[in-house]
Amino acid sequence: MVSSEGLCGSQPPIAAPVTQYGVTKPISMAVPTAADIQRSRDLEKFLVQAGLYESKEEASKREEVLGQIQEIVTNWVKQLTRLRGYTDQMVEDAKALIFTFGSYRLGVHGPGSDIDALCVGPSYVSREEDFFFVLHNILAEREEVTELQPVPDAHVPVMRFKFNGIPIDLLYASISHLVVPHDLDISNISVLYNVDEPTVRSLNGCRVADQILKLVPNVEHFCTTLRCLKFWAKRRGVYSNVTGFLGGVNWALLVARICQLYPNAAPSMLVSRFFRVFTQWRWPNPVMLCAIDEDRLGFSVWDPRKNPRDRTHHMPIITPAYPCMNSSYNVSTSTLRVMMEQFQYGNNVCEKIELNKAKWSALFDPYLFFQSYTNYLQVDILAADADDLRSWKGWVESRLRQLTLMIERDTYGKMQCHPYPQDYVDASKPCAHCAFFMGLQRKHGEIVQEGQQFDIRGSIDEFRHSINMYMFWKPGMEIYVSHVRRKQLPAYVYPDGCKRSRNLHLTPEQPSYNMSRNNGVAYQAESGEKCLKRKKDPDGEDSEQSRLDKRRSPDRNQSVSPEIISCKLGSTCTGCSTSDLDEMNRFAEVNTSSNSSGISSCSHEDIGNESTAGSSEGSNVGDDNPSSSQSDSSDDLKSSVEDDHADQNKVFQDGLLKDLEPKTVVGVVLKSMNGVVDSESVQNPVIRVTQGSQV
């Protein structure tokens, strides 16, 4: 029997066990200080002012919409049950259930956000026929439903639409029950019995969201931190799973892990620790919220020891629900590089905030993508109408990540790509279109020899073939890919519709020098272009204007942009006679004084063989009249775009080619020949590295 002396003796007290969230012990159990609490209040105030929280009216509208969709899918299942000859009792008991996941389920959605929803139905209701055909037709007849877009061939098949203006991403899962229980526990592993992998992926959206909320120590702090970091990722251009960055579930898993490592921290501390931890994270070490559940039902789980493909993942972020998968398999070496740079930026700003040297608004300054690179790929997408453009754009956007991987592979990682996850529209164009951009640069620290080439012709051609595989292609769906220099970027990519001054460091006392003009073509020296500028000077001397251009160069770390070396085209469009294909010496240049869109395109009349860059010979092809880009003809939907291309692809006169770096069309025009999709090969680039140059 223990005496009372033994209870209050001199023995040291036993420390209370530290609660462990996740696979490791916490880094710190520190509670927030008064300063941390105040910074958290300031952060939440900033998020409210930024409009990241929806109103009560919109929240009520979302609940009403979900209720209406629940009623629609229940009636849909009852109708199919009756048609398949089941008993009246079965028809009465038949139902489907709607579950939510994603930002709505996690409580971090904002105004205008979509609702990720899962419809769970009985075993005899299929996805391919019943969901994407019967239910699709039911929804198409509803006046509340707009912008209906089925995507049956996606990794996770989905039907997208708006219901009374609320965007919905609806998935379907058929479970092995004749009657779906009204109290179905979707977190229970039994729902995965006897289902296929697309169904598992559909179910796991909800299962992962539920697990995240169970594995974080403080849900409220988690939601505030996640809302903040999602907003930050969008402002810094790293929020997009489809283009190789991180999507909503990826950011949720990373934030949840930080919450586990700092269980008592306030949101301001969690944001700061997020950047501190992930700037030092040794990828590809995985981020996991819990131990990986071993294989139970035969589904593949993420395990680089067993699965060779898992060893190629650059930034593994593992889902916590069985079967555990890498949710960030889309990340490439280039997009990981971009994200690590942005993590470092966030870490630097947070350090200043903690020292009261900066405010929260500084963390969310937008990333100046179009001032960050010298070379870009521009991908223009055209369609017959807005509905066709929506589906066509979705397909092309899903393949842009492959283009990044192809370029990385074909240049052995020496050329880095930065696909920007935002599309841009030129409002002056009458046709339905948009454009994506990708920054290009030589890998930092890479030693290259003078004259070494980055040949991405094969990459572009492979990208063309992948685009041609679109099974829902319609006439009018076309794509143009072109290489553009920074000075040639179209004005519509800038927020105010006009290009910002290249001279970022001018003070009011410093003069702003005018651009020189050669033969009526505006030319402004690129930063770091002094090597080629002197070499290209017609008199062989360094002109006064050249010296002025060099003096006002804003970035001395940037070097010469690559030359674009043309090549003869190896193939032509099926159905086009060779007499229709002219010699192509049409190097594009953008007159910076005009308001033209800068869209690079190429009709079949002006596709041909291009002479080697540096040749002074040229042939006039097409109309050089600047007003031709303003055509409003309704006979050809894309006439304005093609005329604009004809305007921008003027043939350089003798000697002019020496002064201007060409803009070379490197893409493909999709055509319809007798109702069959075909394509024309278009000029592809070979990027040559000159002495001391940087791509």
Side-chain angles (χ1 to χ4, degrees):
M1 184 174 182
V2 180
S3 65
S4 60
E5 289 184 359
L7 293 174
C8 58
S10 59
Q11 294 182 356
I14 299 175
V18 176
T19 302
Q20 177 174 320
Y21 295 92
V23 294
T24 63
K25 293 181 179 180
I27 293 176
S28 173
M29 296 292 293
V31 297
T33 64
D36 293 325
I37 294 174
Q38 183 57 48
R39 277 192 289 268
S40 295
R41 290 173 181 166
D42 294 340
L43 175 60
E44 292 184 33
K45 182 179 179 181
F46 175 86
L47 298 178
V48 171
Q49 293 175 344
L52 300 185
Y53 293 85
E54 69 176 358
S55 63
K56 292 182 179 179
E57 292 76 13
E58 186 173 357
S60 298
K61 184 178 180 180
R62 288 178 184 273
E63 293 178 3
E64 292 175 5
V65 165
L66 286 173
Q68 289 177 282
I69 294 175
Q70 174 67 71
E71 182 180 352
I72 290 172
V73 297
T74 297
N75 292 336
W76 163 62
V77 170
K78 288 182 181 295
Q79 174 186 336
L80 291 172
T81 306
R82 185 178 294 107
L83 288 173
R84 292 197 166 109
Y86 287 99
T87 64
D88 292 341
Q89 184 62 45
M90 281 282 290
V91 173
E92 183 179 347
D93 294 339
K95 66 172 66 68
L97 297 179
I98 293 292
F99 296 88
T100 60
F101 61 101
S103 61
Y104 187 79
R105 174 70 180 91
L106 295 175
V108 295
H109 61 288
S113 297
D114 61 357
I115 298 178
D116 296 306
L118 169 69
C119 175
V120 177
S123 58
Y124 55 85
V125 176
S126 69
R127 178 187 299 104
E128 291 76 14
E129 297 179 3
D130 298 327
F131 181 73
F132 279 113
F133 183 74
V134 179
L135 181 60
H136 173 274
N137 292 339
I138 292 173
L139 292 173
E141 293 174 357
R142 303 276 302 212
E143 61 179 11
E144 306 97 327
V145 176
T146 59
E147 300 182 15
L148 182 60
Q149 178 190 355
V151 192
D153 56 339
H155 186 66
V156 181
V158 61
M159 191 144 56
R160 296 191 172 101
F161 57 92
K162 287 186 177 180
F163 197 101
N164 281 336
I166 302 295
I168 305 291
D169 282 3
L170 186 63
L171 280 56
Y172 179 71
S174 174
I175 60 174
S176 57
H177 290 72
L178 285 176
V179 177
V180 178
H182 70 277
D183 58 349
L184 177 67
D185 181 7
I186 204 167
S187 296
N188 195 308
I189 197 173
S190 63
V191 300
L192 303 180
Y193 291 156
N194 299 321
V195 298
D196 58 13
E197 292 210 8
T199 300
V200 172
R201 291 193 289 268
S202 300
L203 288 165
N204 264 13
C206 298
R207 289 163 49 78
V208 167
D210 289 346
Q211 282 295 102
I212 289 174
L213 295 176
K214 292 177 182 178
L215 292 170
V216 294
N218 188 311
V219 173
E220 183 180 354
H221 289 176
F222 163 77
C223 290
T224 302
T225 307
L226 178 57
R227 192 183 296 272
C228 166
L229 284 164
K230 287 180 65 176
F231 181 52
W232 173 85
K234 292 174 182 178
R235 297 284 284 179
R236 302 301 297 177
V238 290
Y239 188 96
S240 174
N241 180 275
V242 70
T243 52
F245 294 104
L246 301 182
V249 66
N250 309 128
W251 291 105
L253 292 170
L254 292 183
V255 171
R257 185 64 185 127
I258 298 301
C259 291
Q260 291 180 337
L261 295 174
Y262 299 90
N264 297 323
S268 64
M269 298 169 63
L270 291 171
V271 171
S272 176
R273 301 308 182 269
F274 178 94
F275 293 117
R276 183 179 301 179
V277 168
F278 288 118
T279 52
Q280 301 176 47
W281 196 272
R282 296 181 180 178
W283 304 104
N285 287 328
V287 172
M288 298 186 296
L289 301 186
C290 59
I292 294 179
D293 203 349
E294 292 299 326
D295 188 2
R296 295 198 221 170
L297 302 178
F299 295 109
S300 176
V301 298
W302 187 83
D303 189 347
R305 299 168 300 179
K306 299 178 181 178
N307 307 322
R309 188 174 182 180
D310 294 343
R311 300 171 199 160
T312 66
H313 294 170
H314 301 286
M315 193 181 189
I317 304 173
I318 311 304
T319 56
Y322 175 82
C324 300
M325 308 173 187
N326 176 22
S327 63
S328 53
Y329 59 87
N330 281 353
V331 174
S332 67
T333 54
S334 286
T335 53
L336 176 58
R337 170 190 62 83
V338 173
M339 286 188 282
M340 292 302 293
E341 290 174 354
Q342 294 306 317
F343 288 162
Q344 188 60 57
Y345 166 84
N347 188 51
N348 294 340
V349 175
C350 284
E351 288 178 353
K352 294 179 180 179
I353 293 174
E354 291 185 339
L355 296 174
N356 295 321
K357 294 182 179 180
K359 296 183 178 180
W360 283 112
S361 58
L363 182 64
F364 303 96
D365 285 342
Y367 176 63
L368 303 179
F369 174 71
F370 293 109
Q371 297 182 25
S372 300
Y373 295 91
T374 303
N375 293 276
Y376 296 85
L377 282 182
Q378 178 175 337
V379 181
D380 290 293
I381 304 165
L382 286 79
D385 53 44
D387 290 335
D388 285 355
L389 179 65
R390 190 178 304 109
S391 57
W392 181 229
K393 181 184 77 171
W395 168 252
V396 175
E397 186 179 14
S398 71
R399 309 307 300 174
L400 287 177
R401 179 179 65 89
Q402 297 297 328
L403 178 58
T404 302
L405 297 175
M406 294 167 190
I407 294 176
E408 288 178 351
R409 178 200 65 200
D410 295 343
T411 61
Y412 302 98
K414 294 182 179 181
M415 177 179 285
Q416 295 177 328
C417 307
H418 181 174
Y420 201 60
Q422 180 178 340
D423 61 293
Y424 294 85
V425 177
D426 184 1
S428 67
K429 298 303 173 195
C431 56
H433 93 285
C434 66
F436 288 96
F437 292 84
M438 180 183 296
L440 300 175
Q441 72 174 11
R442 174 173 55 84
K443 183 179 180 181
H444 294 296
E446 189 69 35
I447 300 176
V448 294
Q449 299 176 350
E450 183 174 1
Q452 179 179 349
Q453 295 180 344
F454 288 129
D455 188 345
I456 60 174
R457 288 173 296 182
S459 308
I460 298 294
D461 192 53
E462 190 174 346
F463 176 66
R464 170 176 65 87
H465 282 90
S466 69
I467 294 297
N468 282 343
M469 294 172 62
Y470 187 52
M471 66 177 64
F472 301 105
W473 186 91
K474 296 180 180 179
M477 292 182 175
E478 299 179 0
I479 180 173
Y480 304 82
V481 183
S482 51
H483 165 262
V484 293
R485 299 277 296 278
R486 179 165 50 193
K487 62 186 176 183
Q488 298 169 315
L489 287 168
Y492 62 80
V493 303
Y494 298 96
D496 53 2
C498 60
K499 297 183 180 182
R500 298 186 180 185
S501 172
R502 288 291 316 283
N503 192 358
L504 303 179
H505 302 298
L506 279 180
T507 63
E509 293 77 17
Q510 291 176 303
S512 178
Y513 299 107
N514 294 326
M515 293 180 293
S516 64
R517 290 178 177 270
N518 294 295
N519 296 338
V521 181
Y523 176 69
Q524 184 176 7
E526 288 280 328
S527 61
E529 203 166 278
K530 44 185 174 288
C531 267
L532 285 181
K533 180 65 179 178
R534 178 175 301 188
K535 187 175 181 180
K536 293 178 181 179
D537 192 279
D539 302 324
E541 297 179 356
D542 196 9
S543 66
E544 177 64 19
Q545 181 62 41
S546 177
R547 290 195 296 272
L548 293 178
D549 286 337
K550 285 183 271 184
R551 191 182 308 164
R552 64 193 178 100
S553 175
D555 187 354
R556 298 183 183 275
N557 293 326
Q558 286 185 324
S559 54
V560 184
S561 300
E563 295 179 355
I564 306 301
I565 309 303
S566 64
C567 63
K568 289 190 176 183
L569 299 174
S571 60
T572 58
C573 177
T574 303
C576 296
S577 64
T578 56
S579 61
D580 294 332
L581 302 176
D582 301 319
E583 279 281 312
M584 179 180 176
N585 280 314
R586 315 183 64 182
F587 293 108
E589 47 85 11
V590 176
N591 189 329
T592 56
S593 63
S594 72
N595 293 322
S596 63
S597 71
I599 293 182
S600 296
S601 59
C602 195
S603 62
H604 71 276
E605 290 86 355
D606 54 38
I607 297 176
N609 297 330
E610 184 175 83
S611 62
T612 302
S615 171
S616 60
E617 298 182 21
S619 60
N620 292 323
V621 182
D623 186 10
D624 283 346
N625 183 4
S627 64
S628 65
S629 64
Q630 306 301 322
S631 173
D632 294 326
S633 172
S634 59
D635 296 336
D636 187 355
L637 179 67
K638 58 184 182 298
S639 61
S640 178
V641 175
E642 291 182 340
D643 288 345
D644 186 47
H645 172 66
D647 175 41
Q648 294 177 34
N649 286 275
K650 300 172 184 175
V651 179
F652 290 155
Q653 301 299 323
D654 292 352
L656 182 59
L657 189 58
K658 299 178 181 179
D659 294 322
L660 293 177
E661 191 70 17
K663 172 182 177 181
T664 307
V665 177
V666 297
V668 56
V669 184
L670 300 185
K671 296 288 184 180
S672 176
M673 297 296 173
N674 300 322
V676 179
V677 181
D678 204 344
S679 63
E680 297 177 358
S681 298
V682 187
Q683 178 63 37
N684 298 322
V686 181
I687 299 183
R688 172 180 291 169
V689 179
T690 56
Q691 186 68 32
S693 69
Q694 175 182 349
V695 178

